[in-house]
Amino acid sequence: EAQVYRKDGGKTWISLNARAIRDDRGAALYYEGTAEDITEQKKVREAVKPSTLLLRIVGIFAAAEFLIMLLLPFADIPEGIWLYLMDVALLTIICVPLVYWWVVKGLTRHLVAQATLAQTEAQAHEHRYGTLIETAPDVIYTRAAGDGTITSLNPAFEKITGWSREEWIGKIFASLVHPEDMELATEMFQQVLRGENLPPYQLRIFAKSGESLVGEFTSVPQFERGKIVGELGIARDITARKQAENQLRALSAQNRLILD
């Protein structure tokens, strides 16, 4: 967490999260991350700190006692009775409402505002990312650690492979992979679960028709409470591109034979 200056000169609290992107030799190429405005959260945290609440309450009672001492010289009753009556009056009429208004009500207002803000932001994020995932042209999937059970698939999976999502959610991802690519698929999955940064890699996947599709995969660890619980991946269908490359290579080889 850090405090940064805005353009207007004001200050904002942000929460930073970043990681290094490295090359094959482990050297850092650049950093990527996110920055979230947590100014309101900081205000709530400060408002609910015991020291802050205690300071407010002590301040109220200290001000009340100071007022008693100022009024005492003008009172024509014994000091002990005067102090008792004023204490009761100030505690009942002034201090209790002030404690409620400045401490309890203010704290409640902060908590309600924060809860409302968090709920609104969560709904906006859910709608935005949900729309993005549902309309993406590439397959977006998640799978659990361990045996690699598929836990979610977006609609692009159905369009590209011909399978329905219901046919594969809850099943092992490896069953979709061409046997010749199984070793690579297993190694990439284990690297993801170790938290390593992977370059894009290619796997052949079976479509419902029996055809082998070539997918270019990009995958990262999926975290929950700071622990890796699975994989989040994107797979792009590059079958047509690979076929065109193979045709081009075959044509080039044929032309060389003719020239020879």
Side-chain angles (χ1 to χ4, degrees):
E1 295 180 0
Q3 200 172 34
V4 298
Y5 286 103
R6 298 196 306 268
K7 186 176 181 179
D8 61 6
K11 295 180 180 179
T12 297
W13 278 98
I14 60 173
S15 175
L16 298 168
N17 180 34
R19 66 171 183 170
I21 303 302
R22 303 179 184 275
D23 61 19
D24 296 337
R25 295 171 307 210
L29 298 174
Y30 59 92
Y31 295 87
E32 65 179 11
T34 59
E36 180 185 4
D37 183 355
I38 59 168
T39 305
E40 289 301 318
Q41 292 93 317
K42 292 286 285 188
K43 288 180 180 179
V44 171
R45 272 189 252 163
E46 182 63 29
V48 300
K49 283 173 59 176
S51 58
T52 301
L53 300 178
L54 181 61
L55 184 61
R56 289 184 177 183
I57 295 172
V58 170
I60 291 171
F61 282 90
E65 291 296 332
F66 180 71
L67 181 59
I68 290 175
M69 300 307 296
L70 288 179
L71 296 176
L72 188 59
F74 303 98
D76 192 21
I77 56 179
E79 181 177 337
I81 297 177
W82 168 249
L83 289 174
Y84 173 77
L85 292 176
M86 286 301 296
D87 276 342
V88 171
L90 286 170
L91 285 174
T92 305
I93 300 173
I94 299 177
C95 293
V96 173
L98 281 176
V99 168
Y100 169 76
W101 177 79
W102 197 24
V103 180
V104 178
K105 190 175 181 181
L107 176 59
T108 304
R109 185 169 59 250
H110 275 299
L111 293 176
V112 170
Q114 184 59 29
T116 303
L117 177 63
Q119 183 179 13
T120 302
E121 290 180 348
Q123 290 173 347
H125 280 294
E126 184 178 356
H127 175 73
R128 181 163 58 249
Y129 292 117
T131 301
L132 177 63
I133 290 172
E134 291 297 305
T135 59
D138 298 330
V139 176
I140 299 177
Y141 67 91
T142 59
R143 53 179 176 149
D147 60 1
T149 301
I150 299 172
T151 53
S152 69
L153 290 163
N154 70 333
F157 174 79
E158 299 180 341
K159 182 178 180 180
I160 293 172
T161 68
W163 300 101
S164 69
R165 287 183 282 179
E166 290 74 17
E167 288 179 283
W168 281 99
I169 291 178
K171 295 185 178 179
I172 298 175
F173 174 79
S175 302
L176 277 171
V177 179
H178 193 287
E180 295 179 4
D181 294 344
M182 189 65 67
E183 183 177 352
L184 174 62
T186 302
E187 175 59 27
M188 294 296 101
F189 186 50
Q190 293 304 317
Q191 289 187 37
V192 168
L193 297 184
R194 290 195 295 267
E196 299 178 15
N197 296 321
L198 303 182
Y201 56 95
Q202 296 177 11
L203 296 175
R204 284 170 290 178
I205 302 296
F206 289 117
K208 189 168 187 177
S209 63
E211 176 190 6
S212 290
L213 304 176
V214 182
E216 184 176 70
F217 287 75
T218 303
S219 54
V220 296
Q222 186 178 26
F223 290 90
E224 187 173 299
R225 297 179 181 176
K227 180 181 178 182
I228 296 176
V229 296
E231 175 190 67
L232 168 64
I234 300 176
R236 174 168 295 178
D237 181 13
I238 59 170
T239 306
R241 191 183 84 188
K242 295 296 290 187
Q243 290 174 347
E245 291 174 355
N246 292 335
Q247 291 173 0
L248 183 59
R249 279 195 293 268
L251 182 60
S252 298
Q254 184 179 5
N255 289 337
R256 283 197 298 271
L257 288 174
I258 293 174
L259 292 175
D260 292 341

